[in-house]
Amino acid sequence: MSRGAQTFKQGDVTKALKGAVKAGLSVQRVEIDKDGKIILITGEMLPSAATGNEWDNVQR
């Protein structure tokens, strides 16, 4: 018995998670629907991303 068509790959989920973390988001949960749509449930911004970097204050 076949499992059917694969709608997403592990690499797809990994890319979505890494992108969210790089953007400063805290991922609370990952949901994947039957069509392969990846949904990231996020929480608060991570402290390092919320404060920016040392160059943000130079132009002020």
Side-chain angles (χ1 to χ4, degrees):
M1 187 173 224
S2 173
R3 290 185 179 189
Q6 184 177 0
T7 57
F8 71 95
K9 296 181 180 169
Q10 182 177 354
D12 299 332
V13 178
T14 302
K15 287 177 190 175
L17 285 170
K18 284 184 178 181
V21 170
K22 190 172 182 180
L25 299 174
S26 172
V27 178
Q28 303 297 318
R29 185 173 70 223
V30 177
E31 296 178 359
I32 304 169
D33 69 4
K34 64 181 179 179
D35 297 325
K37 179 178 165 185
I38 300 170
I39 303 164
L40 301 178
I41 308 299
T42 61
E44 296 181 17
M45 297 284 286
L46 295 174
S48 60
T51 59
N53 62 44
E54 66 272 11
W55 290 103
D56 289 340
N57 296 327
V58 172
Q59 294 184 351
R60 291 184 186 167

